[in-house]
Amino acid sequence: RHPRKIPRTVIYHPPTTTTTPPISTVEFDIREIVCSKDWSCQEAMHVAYCESRLNPGAISPTNSDGTRDYGLMQVNSGAWGRPVFGERWDRVLDAQTNVDMAWHIYQTAGNTWQPWTCKP
């Protein structure tokens, strides 16, 4: 995966007085979930966009180690799956649950994006 520039309309909700079309309701809801944590909203949105294109139902192809990455923030099943998150893993494709898991991972990594392929 190669980091890509995230469109400005995904990071920022444009003012209603501009001629720029507003972001979709789904993208706005995802932004609200992603930006609810105490990390840089812009960085987190970049990671979410780069990892899943803001798709909470994204599931990666099988990785070389047999694991897969799930959801909005592409949480890895091997490093962070059921052994870490228990029954919550059953809801990994729920946007809020996935972001909660990503927040835990982010904090565990010393408040860095080190565990992700896509970095801001």
Side-chain angles (χ1 to χ4, degrees):
R1 295 183 193 166
H2 297 286
R4 297 181 186 191
K5 274 202 107 99
I6 183 167
R8 188 170 171 80
T9 57
V10 174
I11 298 173
Y12 303 104
H13 191 290
T16 56
T17 57
T18 68
T19 57
T20 306
I23 61 176
S24 75
T25 301
V26 171
E27 288 175 350
F28 182 75
D29 290 345
I30 288 172
R31 184 183 187 284
E32 290 296 307
I33 292 168
V34 169
C35 295
S36 69
K37 303 299 181 191
D38 194 24
W39 51 25
S40 163
C41 176
Q42 183 174 354
E43 288 180 5
M45 285 297 293
H46 172 84
V47 171
Y49 183 81
C50 179
E51 291 283 350
S52 72
R53 297 300 182 259
L54 303 180
N55 178 1
I59 301 173
S60 75
T62 304
N63 297 314
S64 60
D65 62 0
T67 64
R68 295 180 91 170
D69 305 318
Y70 291 85
L72 189 63
M73 302 298 287
Q74 291 290 278
V75 177
N76 182 267
S77 62
W80 303 102
R82 191 171 298 280
V84 174
F85 293 113
E87 290 184 14
R88 284 190 341 168
W89 186 253
D90 294 339
R91 298 184 312 277
V92 70
L93 297 180
D94 170 74
Q96 183 66 61
T97 302
N98 192 271
V99 170
D100 291 345
M101 291 173 176
W103 175 243
H104 171 80
I105 295 165
Y106 178 84
Q107 290 180 302
T108 300
N111 295 328
T112 71
W113 298 105
Q114 183 277 327
W116 281 268
T117 300
C118 295
K119 297 182 183 16

